[in-house]
Amino acid sequence: MTGSTAATSIGIHDLAITTTHYAVELEDLANAYGIEPAKFRFGLGQDQFSFPAPDEDIVTMAAAAAKQIIERNGVTGLRTIMLATESGVDQSKAAAVPVQSLLGLPSEIRVVEMKQACYAGTAALQAALGIVARNPNERVLVIASDVARYQLDSPGEPTQGAGAVAMLVSADPALLAIEPAAGVFTADIDDFWRPNDSTTAVVDGHLSMSAYLDAMTGAWNDLQAQGGPAIEDVDRILYHQPFTKMAKKAQAHLAKVTNSALDLALPGEEKTENARDTGLANGTLYNRRLGNSYTASLFAGLAALLHHDSELAGKRVALLSYGSGSVSEALTGIVQPGYFDAEASARFSAVLDARETITIEAYRALHATERSSATDYETERVTNAPFRFAGVTGQARQYEAN
Ligand code: COA
């Protein structure tokens, strides 16, 4: 870390990703519902989605991801945790508070929860950059953690999912130095929201897709107006991925807006002729198995890219964030030398493989279970993650180490 004057570079120093105990195979879902499996595999670009056990939620996933960061980096300079989520478990108390407690982090720390649909992880990252710019000796833990839930038998159901990404933001980062220019765009649209009295999102799926593309265009144009890099100077591009086919649609849209030839192939598809490979396929490798992880999805894309491409040192990556409602932001960063961890992809693939495949019948029963906080209850012991949600006592959620 540098001294107390302005840092030379600030960005993502470390990143960790985690998910749930269960996975639903989309082929099983398609067969059970009498839908052509190709619709999910190719039409949405999804193979599976993660689904939480009764003793898992956004707090347990967030703490499990953050634990890896703390084990590798310690707590020196750590004075802030920002947890972004759109599937919060309390209307008042920040989910980052039980995370601080589960990890045994010092009391001299500020914690907060941030919300704006799938965009909030990017807002947390921006706020963290500001804190470190003010004092480069501080480090900030940014966590994006979400469970994407739509109603059973709704079009959104195959685009559910869950996951958490924790990032340590610091001066002189080891992974990605974020550049100063950012493009932003906001438009008040009812494409997706979750009323206070609903455990599932309300969504106009097709409107959300066009709202996403419009907002992304606005953020990209603003990035240009702010002096950000032109498309030719960007080597890799990552998108918010509610389902991976959406990243392909976004890439096709950006290619049109910028009048450039960008490869549109998802994994297994033929490369687009005479088009530049900007890492679209690599960036989707985890999301097609996690499903939508809302705030975490863009950063799961970053993890997949950094884990699967060993030639990125010095290269510029654009991160295009979108959250329904709607807010979009375009950021860029430079990948740092020594970023590549040759074992990281095998490690996280093993985590994905280790999930227990749940039958559609069992998944539907779990999905339909809604427990009220009015009565105390204990959850059954299922997850083997480091932390579990133990139940509710006196209307308060209880967490414990596993
Ligand atoms: N083989 C291959 N592809 C198939 C197919 C088959 N048998 N059947 C359908 N498809 C394709 C469709 O052509 C379509 O592809 P396209 O968009 O490239 O044209 C895709 O599968 C989806 O089909 P569609 O009929 O549009 O699906 P849907 O109306 O059931 O719902 C969503 C799709 C995304 C709108 C829905 O899952 C949803 O609401 N999701 C939640 C909201 C969301 O994620 N929004 C994104 C922006 S944040």
Side-chain angles (χ1 to χ4, degrees):
M1 275 185 285
T2 60
S4 59
T5 50
T8 48
S9 68
I10 307 173
I12 302 171
H13 184 68
D14 195 7
L15 177 150
I17 177 167
T18 191
T19 188
T20 57
H21 180 82
Y22 289 128
V24 172
E25 289 290 341
L26 281 176
E27 188 165 349
D28 294 347
L29 195 76
N31 290 335
Y33 290 7
I35 292 170
E36 183 68 39
K39 174 173 179 183
F40 298 158
R41 186 169 302 256
F42 303 111
L44 297 177
Q46 291 300 127
D47 295 331
Q48 302 166 325
F49 63 77
S50 287
F51 193 77
D55 56 351
E56 291 178 315
D57 67 9
I58 59 148
V59 171
T60 62
M61 285 193 296
K67 183 173 186 278
Q68 300 173 44
I69 299 281
I70 302 299
E71 283 171 355
R72 293 198 286 256
N73 300 277
V75 297
T76 307
L78 186 63
R79 292 177 55 77
T80 307
I81 309 174
M82 296 196 176
L83 194 154
T85 188
E86 75 174 275
S87 43
V89 292
D90 192 276
Q91 297 283 13
S92 170
K93 183 173 175 174
V97 175
V99 169
Q100 179 267 353
S101 163
L102 286 169
L103 294 175
L105 295 176
S107 307
E108 291 73 27
I109 198 159
R110 68 170 72 82
V111 306
V112 72
E113 183 172 311
M114 296 181 97
K115 176 173 71 180
Q116 176 23 58
C118 304
Y119 163 70
T122 308
L125 174 60
Q126 275 290 8
L129 295 170
I131 289 173
V132 179
R134 190 177 161 96
N135 181 357
N137 293 316
E138 287 199 22
R139 301 190 292 175
V140 178
L141 186 57
V142 171
I143 313 172
S145 183
D146 263 305
V147 176
R149 262 170 75 88
Y150 296 99
Q151 276 182 9
L152 290 172
D153 306 314
S154 71
E157 188 183 358
T159 65
Q160 295 178 114
V165 173
M167 296 174 276
L168 189 64
V169 172
S170 76
D172 297 329
L175 297 182
L176 190 72
I178 305 290
E179 296 184 288
V184 290
F185 183 87
T186 292
D188 187 358
I189 293 179
D190 291 334
D191 60 331
F192 169 113
W193 66 102
R194 183 162 71 85
N196 275 347
D197 55 356
S198 177
T199 58
T200 51
V202 184
V203 62
D204 180 338
H206 291 280
L207 175 64
S208 76
M209 287 157 71
S210 60
Y212 174 132
L213 298 179
D214 291 346
M216 186 189 77
T217 308
W220 177 264
N221 290 340
D222 187 49
L223 178 69
Q224 302 306 301
Q226 298 297 317
I231 192 78
E232 304 77 46
D233 298 323
V234 175
D235 302 294
R236 301 287 185 271
I237 309 168
L238 295 167
Y239 301 91
H240 168 52
Q241 299 172 49
F243 49 95
T244 71
K245 178 82 168 286
M246 192 66 217
K248 179 183 176 126
K249 287 176 187 290
Q251 173 104 327
H253 188 76
L254 189 66
K256 207 157 124 198
V257 165
T258 58
N259 196 23
S260 46
L262 307 177
D263 178 37
L264 302 180
L266 290 176
E269 294 178 354
E270 249 178 61
K271 297 272 176 212
T272 313
E273 226 172 287
N274 299 324
R276 196 155 62 93
D277 179 358
T278 56
L280 176 72
N282 277 337
T284 62
L285 288 169
Y286 292 158
N287 289 280
R288 66 180 300 129
R289 301 188 65 189
L290 290 170
N292 194 356
S293 55
Y294 289 160
T295 54
S297 114
L298 175 64
F299 302 103
L302 176 61
L305 180 73
L306 295 178
H307 292 177
H308 289 88
D309 189 339
S310 59
E311 306 290 322
L312 289 179
K315 297 249 159 72
R316 177 177 281 125
V317 178
L319 294 117
L320 304 184
S321 181
Y322 174 72
S324 289
S326 63
V327 180
S328 179
E329 179 157 350
L331 284 177
T332 60
I334 305 294
V335 180
Q336 298 300 291
Y339 76 94
F340 189 66
D341 173 353
E343 275 133 46
S345 74
R347 254 194 332 261
F348 190 59
S349 296
V351 169
L352 291 168
D353 292 344
R355 290 171 302 170
E356 186 184 332
T357 301
I358 189 171
T359 65
I360 299 306
E361 199 184 7
Y363 144 73
R364 285 182 67 91
L366 265 185
H367 194 295
T369 307
E370 282 185 21
R371 301 190 85 158
S372 159
S373 63
T375 317
D376 288 2
Y377 64 86
E378 283 181 20
T379 54
E380 61 177 300
R381 212 167 255 285
V382 180
T383 185
N384 45 24
F387 306 105
R388 61 185 297 276
F389 164 53
V392 166
T393 308
Q395 293 194 285
R397 293 174 82 83
Q398 307 297 318
Y399 294 94
E400 62 188 18
N402 220 349

